[in-house]
Amino acid sequence: MPIDNPADEPGISQDVTAAGLPNPEDVICVLKKPVSTGHVYEVIALEQEERDGKPSFSLRRYSRARNDGGGVEDVALQSLVQDFGIHDPPPHLRSGPQRRVHVLVSTHSGTRLSLPFHNDVLAPLLGAIGLTASGEGQNSYQLLITQDAASVSNFARGLADQIRREKDVEHTVVLLSGDGGIVDILNSYASAYEDDDEPTTTTGRDAEELRKLPLIAVLPLGTGNALFHSLHKTVKAPAASPDLVQGLRTLLRGSAAPLPSFKAVFPAGSRTIAYSETVVDAPSTGADPANTTDTSPGLREQAEGVTHLYGVVVASYGFHSQLVWESDTPAYRRHGAKRFQMVAQELLKESHAYRATVEIVRSTTTGGGGEAVVGSSERLGRDRHAYVLATPVSNLEKTFCISPASRPLDGQLRLVHFGPVDGAKTMEIMMAAYDGGKHVDMRWGRATAQGQDEENRDEEVDDGVGYEAIGEVRITTHEEDARWRKVCIDGTIVEIPTDGCMVVSKETRRHLRILVDESIRSPIN
């Protein structure tokens, strides 16, 4: 039933009520709004189009009035109200004396859609539920648009200082970013509390202390969005929806949970490797002899010493870390999106066998407390490797299931590994991961173990993909060439010295909270 006088109702589109309702998979929420004749249900949906080859987003608002009897006239509308109805801003978005709300827009994440998505979708949506970007007073939020690669880290350090000053104030960070933004916040915030005598752990923890941890609400605007896809993998939504619709639903209806993480410790002499754009001088081709040089953009390597990093997605050595690093080098960066395929093809052709000793400490988690039970160290039965990857999440991409046994928030590190194989076999393994994680069951032939001790050197073993729950993994590289000594921690590349050992272990301490779908229950809660 159309509104009697829609022009009198601000913020409600006048031409949509007669056009019907949006598809359920596009619906973000349904608001109940008072009007002069009673109430109106406003259905808010996300519309996505392609413009000039790029995704374009807009917020669509449909309105329907309730009938005089108090029921919902349209059966379809009644279903939407039941599945997506909200009455007020959720507690984690209500700013005031006891809570600060921050909206952090990472402008360079993924394909750089974060800023237009904020302007065209998030800001109008928050406005529809009564929130403004004034940064001051009740029901407002502080908006930060990143200016450079250091903006997110600087924000996190400032947040840590603010929490130290205002111990009773909670903070919500709405993050428009990919996994990189989450990791930048984690590392910068955690480093500010590393010397604390009383860490916040998942065992014997105080609920009040957990509530003081910053709450991160992620809108997936990165490339892989591994954490988001892993946290939402088991969500049974009323309708199969685009990722950003699901992210906005979680923002409005989700619940907070401690975010599991791991720590990677590096040997002395390790350094992070990154590349940043700079202006370089090049010989001029102009006729004017006064113009001896032209300026053109280039990439400059930046290397910094590092002792440890925190992560939430992946720690790897071998094919995965090599692909991440080489695709970011100046030699391939100029090829744009094609560089990933180009690097992969070259690495598959080379099929390098990485010389390393890999040792694991197995672990299990006890019910309720999440306490790790660790045993003695075991060494993998080979000293050549193609792929070594530790992760606490199930998916590295939406359809790339690297760890099928992982469940949202379980915090369990799992190791995926296999020895030297040719490029065709590596591709077969990767394709099986895209097929629901079937790679973990792959076995092929028999091979001679390449252990470094005499006892195991000539033992015949089944070959295949290894997959096991661990508490810790130690990777010691024996490569002389620095090209083959790169490890990857959530996208950050670290070069470790020859015979240096990286130790990756899961943490009992929690540094952040994460907003998850209301259907997800943390194993440690």
Side-chain angles (χ1 to χ4, degrees):
M1 181 173 105
I3 301 172
D4 292 337
N5 192 5
D8 294 335
E9 310 303 334
I12 296 177
S13 300
Q14 300 181 32
D15 59 345
V16 293
T17 53
L21 294 168
N23 293 323
E25 57 265 29
D26 298 324
V27 174
I28 299 167
C29 65
V30 181
L31 303 176
K32 184 179 180 181
K33 306 187 75 172
V35 295
S36 57
T37 56
H39 291 93
V40 165
Y41 289 94
E42 185 175 7
V43 181
I44 300 181
L46 179 67
E47 184 175 274
Q48 179 174 339
E49 300 175 314
E50 290 286 330
R51 292 183 182 175
D52 300 325
K54 292 184 178 181
S56 174
F57 304 99
S58 60
L59 202 67
R60 298 296 304 272
R61 301 167 71 169
Y62 303 74
S63 59
R64 287 288 179 87
R66 58 182 290 178
N67 60 28
D68 294 337
V72 179
E73 182 181 279
D74 190 278
V75 174
L77 177 60
Q78 185 175 358
S79 177
L80 293 180
V81 171
Q82 180 178 346
D83 291 336
F84 308 114
I86 63 172
H87 299 287
D88 300 295
H92 55 264
L93 291 180
R94 295 180 201 161
S95 62
Q98 300 303 312
R99 180 176 294 279
R100 306 280 187 270
V101 178
H102 314 265
V103 174
L104 182 52
V105 182
S106 180
T107 54
H108 284 192
S109 289
T111 53
R112 304 191 177 191
L113 293 173
S114 294
L115 185 57
F117 187 83
H118 167 267
N119 294 341
D120 298 335
V121 177
L122 182 61
L125 176 64
L126 295 179
I129 60 174
L131 306 181
T132 64
S134 64
E136 301 292 337
Q138 200 83 9
N139 291 333
S140 66
Y141 59 90
Q142 298 174 334
L143 175 63
L144 173 64
I145 299 173
T146 62
Q147 301 301 312
D148 52 45
S151 294
V152 176
S153 296
N154 292 338
F155 164 81
R157 284 189 285 269
L159 182 62
D161 291 340
Q162 191 173 358
I163 290 175
R164 287 186 185 277
R165 294 193 307 268
E166 302 175 335
K167 296 184 181 297
D168 295 328
V169 177
E170 298 180 36
H171 290 262
T172 298
V173 181
V174 183
L175 180 62
L176 287 74
S177 174
D179 298 313
I182 303 166
V183 174
D184 285 346
I185 292 178
L186 171 64
N187 277 279
S188 298
Y189 184 84
S191 65
Y193 286 88
E194 286 179 336
D195 296 329
D196 279 13
D197 295 329
E198 298 180 0
T200 303
T201 66
T202 59
T203 57
R205 71 198 186 284
D206 183 85
E208 188 64 28
E209 289 299 316
L210 278 177
R211 279 197 292 271
K212 293 179 182 178
L213 297 178
L215 173 61
I216 311 298
V218 181
L219 295 179
L221 285 152
T223 303
N225 302 306
L227 181 63
F228 178 86
H229 292 309
S230 296
L231 290 176
H232 287 81
K233 184 173 183 177
T234 61
V235 172
K236 304 298 183 184
S241 302
D243 300 332
L244 286 166
V245 172
Q246 185 60 61
L248 292 169
R249 289 175 185 166
T250 299
L251 175 65
L252 298 179
R253 297 166 60 98
S255 58
L259 176 63
S261 60
F262 60 84
K263 185 176 183 178
V265 178
F266 309 106
S270 299
R271 57 184 195 146
T272 60
I273 303 294
Y275 301 91
S276 62
E277 290 186 1
T278 185
V279 175
V280 297
D281 290 335
S284 174
T285 58
D288 186 351
N291 296 329
T292 56
T293 61
D294 289 332
T295 57
S296 58
L299 290 174
R300 178 170 55 90
E301 180 179 294
Q302 293 180 313
E304 296 182 3
V306 63
T307 59
H308 64 278
L309 289 171
Y310 298 95
V312 295
V313 174
V314 63
S316 68
Y317 178 61
F319 181 81
H320 177 269
S321 60
Q322 204 74 29
L323 177 61
V324 174
W325 170 59
E326 295 206 11
S327 63
D328 197 44
T329 58
Y332 285 101
R333 264 265 204 112
R334 64 175 181 267
H335 296 289
K338 296 179 181 179
R339 68 188 190 272
F340 298 104
Q341 184 177 1
M342 294 172 65
V343 173
Q345 289 175 346
E346 184 62 30
L347 292 176
L348 290 172
K349 187 187 302 181
E350 291 187 70
S351 292
H352 182 73
Y354 296 79
R355 298 178 60 243
T357 300
V358 179
E359 302 166 282
I360 63 174
V361 177
R362 299 183 187 278
S363 75
T364 58
T365 53
T366 59
E371 217 172 315
V373 180
V374 298
S376 58
S377 175
E378 305 173 24
R379 188 169 62 190
L380 297 187
R382 67 174 81 96
D383 62 8
R384 301 288 193 278
H385 307 266
Y387 196 95
V388 182
L389 184 148
T391 181
V393 302
S394 60
N395 287 54
L396 299 186
E397 302 171 10
K398 186 171 186 176
T399 58
F400 188 81
C401 180
I402 190 65
S403 178
S406 296
R407 294 294 177 266
L409 303 173
D410 70 5
Q412 177 64 65
L413 271 180
R414 289 178 168 84
L415 189 72
V416 180
H417 58 92
F418 55 89
V421 293
D422 60 25
K425 178 60 70 174
T426 299
M427 276 301 299
E428 182 184 350
I429 296 169
M430 296 298 103
M431 291 301 100
Y434 278 107
D435 188 17
K438 293 180 180 178
H439 62 295
V440 299
D441 298 321
M442 291 181 64
R443 299 291 180 269
W444 54 86
R446 299 178 68 81
T448 301
Q450 296 175 315
Q452 293 179 317
D453 61 325
E454 292 298 328
E455 180 181 351
N456 294 327
R457 183 171 298 278
D458 297 319
E459 179 184 355
E460 291 290 324
V461 296
D462 287 321
D463 212 353
V465 175
Y467 182 52
E468 45 232 320
I470 62 170
E472 179 179 282
V473 60
R474 302 177 182 225
I475 302 173
T476 304
T477 176
H478 305 300
E479 293 283 354
E480 295 292 337
D481 188 343
R483 180 188 178 192
W484 310 116
R485 288 190 270 110
K486 304 296 194 293
V487 298
C488 174
I489 310 297
D490 284 7
T492 297
I493 297 300
V494 177
E495 180 183 296
I496 59 179
T498 301
D499 296 326
C501 178
M502 174 180 71
V503 181
V504 179
S505 56
K506 65 180 183 179
E507 288 218 296
T508 57
R509 180 173 185 165
R510 295 296 182 256
H511 304 284
L512 302 172
R513 293 181 298 155
I514 190 78
L515 198 65
V516 297
D517 185 85
E518 57 187 340
S519 66
I520 303 298
R521 294 292 178 265
S522 171
I524 62 174
N525 283 348

